[in-house]
Amino acid sequence: MKVAEAVGRALYAAGVGQVFGVVGSGNFHLTNAMVAAGSRFVAARHEGGAATMADAYSRMSGTVAALSVHQGPGLTNAMTGIAEAAKSRTPLLVLAAEVTEPRSNFYVDQEALARSVGAVTARVTSAEDAVTEALDAVRRAVCERRTVLLNLPLGVQALDVSAAPDVPGDASALAVVPPERAPLEPEFADVEALARVLEKSRRPVFVAGRGARSPGARDALAALAEHHGALLATSAVARGLFQGDPWSLDVSGGFASPLAAELIREADLIVGWGCALNMWTMRHGRLIGPDTTVVQIDDDASALGAHREVHLGVTGDVELTARRTLETGDGSLQAQQAQHTQQPQQTHQGQQAQQGQQARQGFRTADIGAAIAARVRWRDVPYEDTSSRERIDPRTLSIALDDILPAERVIGVDSGNFMGYPSMYLSVPDENGLCFTQAFQSIGLGLATAIGAALARPDRLPVAALGDGGAMMGAAEFDTVRRLGLPMVVVVYNDDAYGAEVHHFGPDGHPLDTVEFPPTDIAAVARGYGFEAVTVHERADLKAVEDWLAGPRTAPLLIDAKVVADRGAWWLEEAFRGH
């Protein structure tokens, strides 16, 4: 057995059951070995698409996926997707063939390339250690939540494992236990400090991020928030975590609705749960009042205070920290109540305790509850519909699609001027309803994102929301959608331009010829790939979408929506502040 086969079988045994990639000579045997062992391989049309599919699959499945690429150009083609995964701390294994001879035309410094975008590196160095080194790369991806590049030199891949006495001849029979990331218990003193801060707060807001994207964390945070009268919000990547909770403000940051932003600014305490509290989530700090206490909980100590000063940082798993804090608070309260019931008459101290308990309703007043129900969603914010007979307002389009599409959906969103509309106007059923690959802010990733998310969540209707620029960049993967038989809806917000640049530079009188394009019939492009397609100019044209949904859905559907291009999206100003 060759090293390539031994490693492929061992990776499957370690839990790597999904592989994306483009196969060339250098990764041919390794990829086939994984498939033979039981992994599912999805062939993309470009390595960049494959990388993003793998990233999205890992995010939405909660498992580690693999990306398999050829040496040199296979890896360089994939680098934008790898950068997005690395910046998002996605547990992802990049399997890259490698040439070690600098005179080879395929030679690049693959380690340096990976490190430059924040990935970590490993290498298979010998037949004796190949399986161990591969399994260690999987462990690191899972337990450290990192994107790991595992370099596989061509010469080592071709070695005979059976010549190595310490490596079993049948690597598929290895008793490998897939690695798991153990939840980190917070220090008791930190939990007590957090409980004290919460007890003092009268207007707390919880902001949950990527580290809270699990049902267990959601339930623990909801219980703690109810106890202290906290309002609930999320970062964009965790949108849907508190879906259905009457005290949810939806997303905090640049995407926040006017009411959500107003209430977050009024908080006397903001607690970030597995959330970076970065420039996007806190609008460059403008959502934090001058006297607001800021607390951050994360199981990575290096994340605490990385983006802004915090008054209290707690290192620990989000769910465990929330549950321990609730237990601490409940225990103190029970002891206090027991002491009061022993007194024959209510003392001044008892009256103060009762007042404190009442005050813990915090933000959860009837007036605020009514306002949240009426105005926290963007679709409930009044607007002037600027649709014409030729172009539809993107808000009108998004609201109509939200009503038409099934509620059980998983959405992948590309980057661009349009991105706030599908991200905020299309509702999601839970924290696994939106796959938001935006850490690198690259356009062209949206379609591949939706493919990876669709494969991870086959129980839901996949929706890809793209701009025309990103759609044309990623058009090769239309073939992958069709080939996989995915019943996907692709919505293209088509303004015939790179809209972000148009609205950023246009008001200052700069020439826009470099960012505006002649009209493109993207519906016709999609039909060429085997899609059904409809061009939308006005609301009535969406009847074709309803017909597709009612039909067999044997082919994917593309909606080429000609959207109004006379205004920049509300979040655009926030985005350019970060440049």
Side-chain angles (χ1 to χ4, degrees):
M1 180 185 298
K2 302 299 183 183
V3 165
E5 184 178 356
V7 168
R9 293 187 178 191
L11 290 175
Y12 174 72
V16 185
Q18 180 66 59
V19 190
F20 299 85
V22 176
V23 171
S25 60
N27 62 329
F28 182 86
H29 295 299
L30 172 67
T31 304
N32 281 345
M34 295 188 72
V35 172
S39 295
R40 180 184 184 183
F41 176 70
V42 171
R45 285 299 192 179
H46 191 277
E47 290 91 348
T52 301
M53 292 174 203
D55 179 10
Y57 185 92
S58 291
R59 296 186 195 211
M60 306 311 284
S61 69
T63 63
V64 60
L67 165 67
S68 178
V69 296
H70 187 272
Q71 62 272 22
L75 181 61
T76 58
N77 278 346
M79 283 313 299
T80 297
I82 293 171
E84 168 64 35
K87 288 176 179 292
S88 298
R89 296 293 293 267
T90 300
L92 180 65
L93 187 62
V94 181
L95 306 171
E98 183 185 36
V99 295
T100 55
E101 173 52 61
R103 288 177 294 181
S104 169
N105 63 302
F106 286 133
Y107 179 80
V108 293
D109 189 339
Q110 296 189 173
E111 284 192 351
L113 197 61
R115 288 196 299 268
S116 72
V117 297
V120 297
T121 64
R123 176 175 282 106
V124 170
T125 61
S126 67
E128 292 81 1
D129 298 321
V131 168
T132 300
E133 290 166 335
L135 296 180
D136 187 62
V138 178
R139 180 204 60 76
R140 192 169 187 189
V142 173
C143 297
E144 298 180 21
R145 274 203 314 262
R146 299 299 297 268
T147 294
V148 179
L149 168 66
L150 178 61
N151 284 306
L152 295 118
L154 297 178
V156 177
Q157 285 193 57
L159 294 177
D160 191 345
V161 172
S162 63
D166 297 331
V167 180
D170 184 4
S172 65
L174 287 173
V176 177
V177 178
E180 294 184 5
R181 182 180 173 87
L184 181 64
E185 277 279 0
E187 294 289 339
F188 181 69
D190 290 339
V191 171
E192 284 192 316
L194 176 57
R196 287 194 297 271
V197 171
L198 285 166
E199 289 290 341
K200 293 178 181 178
S201 172
R202 294 295 174 262
R203 298 185 307 281
V205 171
F206 288 0
V207 182
R210 191 188 317 276
R213 287 185 65 249
S214 71
R218 176 188 63 212
D219 294 344
L221 291 176
L224 186 64
E226 181 179 9
H227 183 69
H228 290 284
L231 301 183
L232 297 162
T234 71
S235 64
V237 295
R239 187 177 184 228
L241 183 66
F242 302 117
Q243 176 69 22
D245 192 298
W247 300 104
S248 171
L249 301 177
D250 207 351
V251 173
S252 172
F255 285 169
S257 67
L259 176 64
E262 175 187 341
L263 291 173
I264 294 169
R265 286 192 193 99
E266 292 178 2
D268 64 358
L269 171 65
I270 293 175
V271 185
W273 298 89
C275 177
L277 299 177
N278 58 24
M279 62 183 180
W280 309 114
T281 309
M282 289 289 107
R283 290 193 179 181
H284 301 268
R286 295 197 308 281
L287 292 185
I288 302 173
D291 300 317
T292 301
T293 299
V294 179
V295 175
Q296 189 179 1
I297 294 90
D298 203 290
D299 62 2
D300 179 2
S302 67
L304 301 178
H307 292 275
R308 63 190 65 261
E309 182 180 355
V310 297
H311 299 89
L312 172 65
V314 178
T315 304
D317 175 77
V318 166
E319 179 182 353
L320 287 180
T321 302
R323 294 197 184 282
R324 299 295 179 266
T325 305
L326 184 59
E327 292 164 3
T328 300
D330 284 345
S332 300
L333 179 59
Q334 290 167 2
Q336 188 181 55
Q337 288 175 329
Q339 181 180 3
H340 296 156
T341 56
Q342 294 174 2
Q343 299 176 359
Q345 294 182 343
Q346 189 177 46
T347 64
H348 177 63
Q349 182 181 1
Q351 292 173 352
Q352 285 183 323
Q354 278 193 346
Q355 291 168 1
Q357 291 173 40
Q358 293 170 357
R360 271 197 297 273
Q361 74 176 336
F363 262 150
R364 299 193 174 197
T365 66
D367 289 346
I368 289 177
I372 290 173
R375 294 188 286 121
V376 82
R377 298 186 307 170
W378 269 107
R379 63 173 293 159
D380 295 326
V381 176
Y383 69 95
E384 179 185 354
D385 190 336
T386 60
S387 300
S388 66
R389 291 183 62 85
E390 295 301 319
R391 290 192 175 269
I392 187 169
D393 189 305
R395 296 163 293 187
T396 302
L397 170 70
S398 302
I399 291 170
L401 288 173
D402 190 43
D403 293 336
I404 292 170
L405 298 175
E408 287 296 315
R409 60 186 72 150
V410 58
I411 304 169
V413 181
D414 212 328
S415 193
N417 178 61
F418 77 96
M419 64 183 288
Y421 300 114
S423 296
M424 295 308 302
Y425 283 82
L426 298 183
S427 60
V428 292
D430 54 29
E431 71 277 9
N432 291 312
L434 175 65
C435 193
F436 198 72
T437 48
Q438 300 291 339
F440 201 28
Q441 243 185 305
S442 172
I443 70 170
L445 306 186
L447 182 59
T449 294
I451 294 171
L455 293 171
R457 296 304 308 255
D459 56 321
R460 296 182 173 182
L461 177 74
V463 180
L466 319 174
D468 54 297
M472 298 306 289
M473 277 191 183
E477 304 307 342
F478 285 146
D479 176 73
T480 305
V481 175
R482 188 268 311 165
R483 184 163 25 89
L484 293 174
L486 297 175
M488 181 180 292
V489 175
V490 178
V491 187
V492 181
Y493 290 71
N494 188 353
D495 62 359
D496 299 314
Y498 291 140
E501 284 66 35
V502 168
H503 297 293
H504 183 60
F505 295 108
D508 294 328
H510 295 291
L512 300 174
D513 295 347
T514 54
V515 292
E516 292 181 328
F517 303 93
T520 301
D521 189 348
I522 298 178
V525 173
R527 291 189 190 99
Y529 280 100
F531 278 59
E532 294 184 29
V534 56
T535 300
V536 172
H537 297 281
E538 53 188 355
R539 174 66 175 82
D541 295 330
L542 291 172
K543 175 63 167 57
V545 180
E546 297 175 353
D547 294 341
W548 181 86
L549 289 167
R553 308 183 196 178
T554 53
L557 174 69
L558 182 133
I559 304 167
D560 185 1
K562 308 300 185 180
V563 296
V564 172
D566 61 355
R567 62 189 301 273
W570 80 91
W571 65 273
L572 192 61
E573 181 180 352
E574 299 294 333
F576 278 108
R577 288 177 186 271
H579 287 184

